[in-house]
Amino acid sequence: MAGILDKLTRFARSPKGQRAISTASRKAQEYARDPKNRSKIEGLRSRLSGRGGSGGTTR
C-alpha cells in the first residue's frame, strides 16, 4: 500500500497534479455556491456527523 500512497503523493506534488487539484477545488466551490447543492451538502454533513435523521451510521 505504501507504493500507492507514494505515487499519489508524487502526483499531487507534480505540476500536473497541482493543476488537477486546483481544477477540482474550483469546481467544488462553484458547486457549493448553488443553494440547492448547499442544502444537499448540509444534509450530508449532518448525517455523517451523526446528528441527522437515523441518529447515526448504519452498516
Side-chain angles (χ1 to χ4, degrees):
M1 283 302 257
I4 293 171
L5 293 176
D6 289 338
K7 286 180 183 181
L8 286 171
T9 301
R10 277 187 268 133
F11 175 73
R13 290 181 179 165
S14 72
K16 189 174 181 180
Q18 289 293 309
R19 283 192 299 273
I21 292 168
S22 177
T23 300
S25 176
R26 191 174 339 104
K27 286 182 180 182
Q29 289 173 355
E30 289 172 11
Y31 181 86
R33 281 189 205 113
D34 184 358
K36 282 189 273 183
N37 294 333
R38 201 175 252 283
S39 68
K40 290 178 191 177
I41 292 168
E42 289 299 322
L44 180 61
R45 184 182 296 161
S46 67
R47 278 187 298 187
L48 290 175
S49 67
R51 293 181 283 141
S54 67
T57 59
T58 58
R59 289 189 171 201

